[in-house]
Amino acid sequence: VLTRGIGGVLADIAAYKAKTDDAKKLDFLHSLLEVINSIHIWHGRYMSALSEKLAAARTAEQQTYYEDLLRNLERVPFQPPASFREALQALWFLFAFVRLCGNWPGIGRIDQMLGQFLEKDLQTGAISEAFARELTAHFFIKSCEWITLDSRGSGDGQHYQNIVLGGVDENGCQSDNTVTRLVLEVVEELPIGDFPIAVRINAHTPEWLYMQIAKVMRHGSGVAAVYNETQIIQSLMDF
């Protein structure tokens, strides 16, 4: 979704459908289209609700606020994100959708997913680091919401799931970036316990990352854990 958008997934489905006449495979591809149709419906509900809010806006500040939200949801998750904010929105939207379907998806390496979008926006001046930090905080605050139903007790509405930070990429290069730091800063400040964080460390892990991990750990929440990725990667290769 972050590299090609759902439109890219639709193109894949169409290509597979054109290559097969196997009934079971076609049934599976049809089910994928049903899921994507559901995403469109869910997305449409958000757009309708925001449009209603915009129409009812009484101040210029409210109008700007809802126009901004609508604009950020126009393209994603159906087209590839063009900014850090769109990328964060696309990631949240799909994560929340899969969670709504009753699955427990792992977000995984959130800094690798979003880092390139933020670096590009920072370099071009499209966003400030302070606003990027605010958006990141909103992502995690939203993720920690619990939905309660007065008539039926507590709803299973929270998004508890592990994330992974730091470490090397597929080419063996360090992947620590600004998103890595912002996530740890947000988790330390708020503090957030719904997202256990695994930080991958190695001989080349920068000192600033060790210091940021320590700042989180000193509160005793146990939300951040460190893993020697050099040893783990080697053990997996040996296996």
Side-chain angles (χ1 to χ4, degrees):
V1 170
L2 295 181
T3 57
R4 301 175 62 214
I6 287 179
V9 180
L10 280 171
D12 288 342
I13 294 172
Y16 280 119
K17 286 181 70 176
K19 292 189 298 184
T20 184
D21 56 2
D22 184 289
K24 288 185 177 181
K25 290 183 179 181
L26 289 171
D27 281 346
F28 174 70
L29 294 171
H30 176 72
S31 72
L32 298 184
L33 293 175
E34 288 295 317
V35 172
I36 291 176
N37 184 51
S38 299
I39 295 173
H40 274 282
I41 293 172
W42 198 47
H43 182 273
R45 291 174 181 171
Y46 276 94
M47 297 298 283
S48 297
L50 287 171
S51 296
E52 291 174 4
K53 292 283 189 180
L54 177 59
R58 296 184 177 181
T59 66
E61 182 180 10
Q62 290 176 340
Q63 183 174 0
T64 300
Y65 176 74
Y66 290 116
E67 287 175 345
D68 198 32
L69 292 179
L70 274 165
R71 191 180 308 113
N72 195 56
L73 259 176
E74 280 178 350
R75 299 176 66 260
V76 295
F78 306 106
Q79 299 178 52
S83 66
F84 171 71
R85 185 173 183 179
E86 282 191 353
L88 195 65
Q89 179 68 70
L91 178 62
W92 167 258
F93 201 89
L94 263 293
F95 174 56
F97 178 82
V98 177
R99 186 68 191 85
L100 183 66
C101 292
N103 299 302
W104 290 80
I107 289 182
R109 308 188 74 177
I110 190 172
D111 53 355
Q112 275 210 359
M113 296 182 211
L114 301 175
Q116 59 180 328
F117 294 100
L118 180 55
E119 295 304 329
K120 178 183 177 181
D121 282 3
L122 290 174
Q123 289 173 8
T124 61
I127 195 173
S128 67
E129 185 176 302
F131 187 53
R133 187 178 186 276
E134 184 76 6
L135 292 175
T136 304
H138 282 220
F139 181 94
F140 283 94
I141 293 170
K142 183 68 178 177
S143 304
C144 289
E145 285 184 348
W146 276 79
I147 298 172
T148 56
L149 304 172
D150 293 336
S151 60
R152 290 173 20 212
S154 175
D156 183 16
Q158 53 97 349
H159 297 81
Y160 184 91
Q161 190 49 257
N162 294 69
I163 61 173
V164 181
L165 299 175
V168 297
D169 60 18
E170 64 271 23
N171 299 313
C173 302
Q174 287 296 120
S175 65
D176 323 301
N177 56 42
T178 306
V179 175
T180 314
R181 176 169 54 80
L182 292 182
V183 169
L184 289 170
E185 286 180 356
V186 166
V187 169
E188 176 204 358
E189 177 192 358
L190 289 177
I192 287 173
D194 269 13
F195 280 83
I197 298 173
V199 187
R200 296 166 56 155
I201 60 173
N202 56 58
H204 304 289
T205 298
E207 183 178 355
W208 66 261
L209 183 50
Y210 281 114
M211 295 300 296
Q212 196 59 52
I213 296 168
K215 289 179 180 179
V216 176
M217 286 183 166
R218 68 192 172 129
H219 295 296
S221 65
V223 68
V226 294
Y227 292 85
N228 181 346
E229 74 166 359
T230 306
Q231 181 177 354
I232 294 172
I233 290 174
Q234 186 60 54
S235 68
L236 289 171
M237 292 172 65
D238 292 343
F239 178 76

